[in-house]
Amino acid sequence: MGGQQRVYRGKIRSTQSLKKIFRAMELIAASRIGKARDRVKAASPYSQAITRAISAVATHSTVSHPLTIERTDTNRVAVLTVSSDRGMAGAYSANVIREAERLRERLTEDGKEIVQFVAGRRALSYYNFRHREIAGEWTGGSDAPDVRVAKEIATALFNAFEAKADMGGVGEIHIVYTHFRSMVAQEPRVIRLLPLEIVEGVAESDAEVEPLYEFEPSSDEVLDSLLPRYIESRIYSCLLQASASELAARQRAMNTATTNAEDIIRQYTRLANSARQSEITQEISEIVSGADALAAS
């Protein structure tokens, strides 16, 4: 019985240590989520404005720009998967990787060759374990994205799109990330970055009166100037959305883990008390039996 008590007490201590870790991670995520949400909110107007500008140029220009038409000289497709660098965030990384795998299946069925780019250690570990070739990887700071990292990713993807077919150029760029809807709802999404398509463009209410556009110096040069900023802003917006989603998922997961740890501690405490009571009862029974034996002799 004494051995059982030691086992239960050891499990209680280890669970209490884990509870402290879970609680600390929950508090850290809770302290950062507000700033992450503010960054998402602050970046949205610029991202929407430059997307409308790009959509307007692509829609109203009469010149077929290479970045607005489908490439037929290559079947390669670049896919950027945005995950977390750390675990303990519930099914956050698993959901975005699952969405990326569904996209991969659809593209493969269409005869496309996937060129994989990864942001986040969880997705990187997933693809390395399956011996998938990685064309570009960025890790560190998934819960606090840096605009410099977004520029590096944008440059790598843009260069892959502009490269010739015999130099490994890609015909499409897709991003798989987690969109932050609320503290309790985060949704994995897939967007096609290039070739340009009308996404989040001019609202229907604005489309009633079609404006007339004049491009100076030319629509091609306007697109060449706006595209790098457009790609950087979209990628940075996706990283911010993923960051807020990761922190929200981690806070919720750690809150659940803390509650479960408390339940386990209560369960082991009851078992330890029951073992202690059984040990006391057995000792009393042995004392009474010994006293009866002495009295009978």
Side-chain angles (χ1 to χ4, degrees):
M1 291 297 177
Q4 288 185 355
Q5 286 193 62
R6 286 193 296 271
V7 171
Y8 292 140
R9 297 300 177 187
K11 291 183 177 180
I12 290 173
R13 287 192 296 270
S14 61
T15 307
Q16 287 175 337
S17 299
L18 290 175
K19 176 187 171 182
K20 292 179 182 179
I21 296 174
F22 297 153
R23 182 60 177 168
M25 295 189 68
E26 178 188 356
L27 294 176
I28 292 173
S31 66
R32 293 179 178 178
I33 186 63
K35 184 177 181 180
R37 293 172 63 183
D38 292 340
R39 295 177 72 183
V40 170
K41 186 177 180 181
S44 295
Y46 177 79
S47 178
Q48 293 173 359
I50 197 169
T51 301
R52 290 193 185 98
I54 285 287
S55 299
V57 176
T59 302
H60 298 283
S61 64
T62 58
V63 179
S64 296
H65 194 274
L67 302 180
T68 63
I69 58 177
E70 300 284 345
R71 290 185 62 173
T72 58
D73 59 338
T74 179
N75 65 338
R76 299 185 187 91
V77 176
V79 177
L80 171 65
T81 304
V82 182
S83 69
S84 65
D85 287 315
R86 296 181 297 166
M88 294 189 174
Y92 166 76
S93 294
N95 289 338
V96 73
I97 291 175
R98 189 179 299 112
E99 187 67 27
E101 287 298 292
R102 283 196 287 263
L103 172 64
R104 190 184 189 92
E105 291 177 2
R106 293 196 299 268
L107 294 175
T108 302
E109 290 176 356
D110 294 338
K112 304 293 186 179
E113 179 184 346
I114 308 301
V115 180
Q116 187 68 58
F117 294 83
V118 177
R121 291 191 181 93
R122 307 300 291 184
L124 180 61
S125 299
Y126 176 86
Y127 293 122
N128 285 338
F129 180 77
R130 286 158 179 79
H131 304 290
R132 304 266 182 88
E133 184 177 354
I134 306 297
E137 60 184 68
W138 296 268
T139 58
S142 65
D143 56 352
D146 191 344
V147 66
R148 291 174 296 182
V149 176
K151 289 182 179 180
E152 291 179 6
I153 298 175
T155 301
L157 294 176
F158 190 67
N159 290 340
F161 188 82
E162 282 195 319
K164 296 181 180 180
D166 56 356
M167 299 296 293
V170 299
E172 297 178 11
I173 298 177
H174 296 263
I175 302 178
V176 187
Y177 72 106
T178 305
H179 182 76
F180 180 83
R181 297 178 58 186
S182 66
M183 288 295 297
V184 296
Q186 298 86 42
E187 175 188 5
R189 286 188 179 180
V190 178
I191 61 173
R192 194 182 81 171
L193 197 62
L194 290 176
L196 287 175
E197 56 184 356
I198 307 302
V199 290
E200 301 177 7
V202 181
E204 294 182 359
S205 59
D206 298 333
E208 296 177 357
V209 180
E210 292 289 344
L212 298 177
Y213 289 88
E214 291 184 1
F215 301 102
E216 179 66 30
S218 67
S219 59
D220 278 351
E221 295 184 50
V222 171
L223 279 175
D224 290 338
S225 177
L226 287 179
L227 272 172
R229 301 180 184 180
Y230 162 76
I231 296 174
E232 290 176 11
S233 67
R234 291 303 299 271
I235 292 178
Y236 187 51
S237 177
C238 291
L239 294 179
L240 292 177
Q241 293 277 352
S243 170
S245 300
E246 177 186 348
L247 291 172
R250 179 168 291 113
Q251 181 184 3
R252 189 170 61 253
M254 291 300 97
N255 180 269
T256 302
T258 302
T259 302
N260 292 339
E262 292 173 350
D263 293 339
I264 293 174
I265 290 172
R266 283 193 294 268
Q267 179 182 358
Y268 283 138
T269 300
R270 287 194 296 266
L271 292 173
N273 291 338
S274 177
R276 179 173 176 271
Q277 187 64 41
S278 299
E279 182 180 353
I280 293 173
T281 302
Q282 182 178 355
E283 290 177 355
I284 293 175
S285 298
E286 292 175 353
I287 292 172
V288 172
S289 297
D292 291 343
L294 289 175
S297 63

